[in-house]
Amino acid sequence: MSTDDDGKRPYQPQPAGPLSAEAREAVYHTIHTRRDVRDQFLPTPLPDDLVRRLLEAAHAAPSVGFMQPWNFILIRDPEVRQRAWEAFSSANDEAAELFSDERQALYRSLKLEGIRKAPLSICVTCDKDRAGPVVLGRTHNPKMDVYSAVCAVQNLWLAARAEGVGIGWVSIFRDEDVRDILGIPDNIEIVAWLCVGYVDQLYQEPELALKGWRQRLSLDDLIFKDGWGRKGD
Amino acid sequence: MSTDDDGKRPYQPQPAGPLSAEAREAVYHTIHTRRDVRDQFLPTPLPDDLVRRLLEAAHAAPSVGFMQPWNFILIRDPEVRQRAWEAFSSANDEAAELFSDERQALYRSLKLEGIRKAPLSICVTCDKDRAGPVVLGRTHNPKMDVYSAVCAVQNLWLAARAEGVGIGWVSIFRDEDVRDILGIPDNIEIVAWLCVGYVDQLYQEPELALKGWRQRLSLDDLIFKDGWGRKGD
């Protein structure tokens, strides 16, 4: 373990406490107004410094054993986005067939145009081999590396909300299609395809709730105390 | 699809844009100063309204098909936390043996006392059956439900940072031990054990970096353009 130039141990914790009331409110506002954007993207290009801030926020996510297993593939090429849209569209047709008739009509009415409309897509991946075979904190839960990459996605999503940028997470892809389109090696796990673009409006509640797909659950019903199913006092 | 009392469609998007510079700064400050806390918890109990805000932040996470698959088991009972610590401790001994001699000494020097020191632990779980067998957005990626629960963890973590509350994610458990201690049914996936408590200091960089376990990677090396391995201009 090293010391800094003054001979002090550089890893002493620094004072930290709650943020100001205004700053806390900004964080909660961001968390509660974040939405999954399916369609309302503006075509305006995103400035490089803004994209950089989003990626720095993602890179600041927690990661198991500090392995930072993520990569970020920035996709602006319209041809690549068109191929991705076709792969989505084909998978989406397969998906629609899995729902009953009434649900299927609603499913098909939910537009998802972010892949083509948003000026940027970001594919987030996970390299499970990045820190060798034995990773601190992954020894008893092999999924912790992928969870780290998901935390990076959520950091990016919240930073985007603060910037007035919408994110849509597209999960309706056959894995092999995205792998083929982006040339992703077999040992790399594909975690997320994010559509990224400015928005000037957002739904006040999740779109799937507003359009009758599924409603918000009561938080109280989801909380237990000291054991599964125990509601406590 | 319903309309509201005025006959207007209630699901029209509302105006939304970037937050103020101060609010954006608060969000970035929270993201960049968040730490995984292993040891520096204060024993001060957490007020109920604060815990509620953290859980509301978690419950505001994105979820695939709006399935909200999470539950939150709040663990304050010292006996339950002691059992969890013993389960961690046993798994941690197993984990230490997996590292080479030099790494093992460093591994063993990294204290993890949050399970007993923090006044609250929260176990976050995922119920894959919550929205039936066919879930919008999960049809082609069966892990999307667990990813949703991880997004809830990250929301909670950032809200906690804003509140001056530290979080430590303990992943060194045998799954069956936590399942047994908390009585979690076999069909429920255990996602995270979080230690939650006030902190008055945080490391300026991740503890694992400061203590020489592993250093931060260069973000530039992790970014590709339009395809895997392509650095573009």
Side-chain angles (χ1 to χ4, degrees), chain A:
Chain A
M1 293 179 215
S2 61
T3 56
D4 66 13
D5 289 347
D6 302 327
K8 289 183 302 198
R9 298 202 304 180
Y11 51 86
Q12 287 300 310
Q14 308 295 316
L19 308 190
S20 70
E22 294 74 17
R24 286 201 304 274
E25 174 57 28
V27 171
Y28 281 120
H29 179 75
T30 301
I31 286 172
H32 288 287
T33 61
R34 180 211 51 77
R35 292 287 169 263
D36 185 58
V37 178
R38 300 173 66 91
D39 188 46
Q40 293 85 23
F41 293 101
L42 305 175
T44 321
L46 298 165
D48 286 345
D49 59 336
L50 186 156
V51 174
R52 183 76 189 188
R53 289 195 295 275
L54 301 186
L55 295 173
E56 285 171 349
H59 192 41
S63 65
V64 66
F66 202 35
M67 71 181 289
Q68 309 156 77
W70 41 69
N71 283 90
F72 308 99
I73 308 175
L74 310 187
I75 303 134
R76 291 192 179 88
D77 185 332
E79 269 185 52
V80 177
R81 288 193 285 131
Q82 177 64 24
R83 286 185 66 198
W85 181 84
E86 287 164 11
F88 155 75
S89 191
S90 162
N92 199 42
D93 285 342
E94 283 178 356
E97 296 293 333
L98 300 174
F99 293 97
S100 64
D101 287 354
E102 191 189 353
R103 294 288 270 179
Q104 193 172 137
L106 179 51
Y107 183 91
R108 290 186 187 276
S109 76
L110 298 165
K111 277 179 75 174
L112 195 158
E113 282 297 335
I115 300 167
R116 290 191 294 193
K117 282 178 79 172
L120 174 67
S121 285
I122 301 178
C123 180
V124 181
T125 59
C126 174
D127 178 357
K128 298 178 87 72
D129 301 324
R130 180 150 297 160
V134 184
V135 174
L136 182 155
R138 194 182 64 178
T139 52
H140 290 73
N141 184 344
K143 297 180 189 168
M144 284 302 295
D145 44 22
V146 179
Y147 292 177
S148 303
V150 174
C151 288
V153 169
Q154 186 61 6
N155 264 12
L156 188 152
W157 207 331
L158 293 169
R161 169 64 194 101
E163 298 272 9
V165 169
I167 300 284
W169 181 336
V170 185
S171 55
I172 305 168
F173 280 121
R174 293 177 215 101
D175 188 84
E176 62 268 28
D177 286 349
V178 176
R179 198 170 292 283
D180 180 50
I181 292 167
L182 297 178
I184 296 172
D186 289 344
N187 64 316
I188 301 296
E189 189 154 342
I190 299 168
V191 176
W193 181 290
L194 306 176
C195 306
V196 186
Y198 280 115
V199 287
D200 57 11
Q201 46 186 18
L202 289 169
Y203 289 105
Q204 285 189 308
E205 286 290 324
E207 185 173 353
L208 293 182
L210 294 172
K211 296 191 172 173
W213 184 262
R214 191 169 159 78
Q215 297 309 308
R216 192 181 293 279
L217 303 175
S218 160
L219 175 56
D220 288 319
D221 293 342
L222 305 176
I223 299 172
F224 298 135
K225 293 182 182 173
D226 292 316
W228 181 267
R230 294 176 59 182
K231 299 303 289 180
D233 49 85

Side-chain angles (χ1 to χ4, degrees), chain B residues 150-200:
Chain B
V150 173
C151 288
V153 169
Q154 185 62 6
N155 265 12
L156 188 152
W157 207 333
L158 293 169
R161 169 64 195 98
E163 298 272 8
V165 169
I167 300 283
W169 183 335
V170 185
S171 55
I172 305 167
F173 280 120
R174 291 177 216 103
D175 188 84
E176 62 268 29
D177 286 348
V178 176
R179 199 170 292 283
D180 180 51
I181 291 167
L182 297 178
I184 297 173
D186 288 344
N187 64 316
I188 301 296
E189 189 155 342
I190 300 168
V191 176
W193 181 291
L194 306 176
C195 306
V196 186
Y198 280 117
V199 285
D200 56 11

Side-chain angles (χ1 to χ4, degrees), chain B residues 57 76 230:
Chain B
R76 292 191 178 87
R230 294 175 59 181

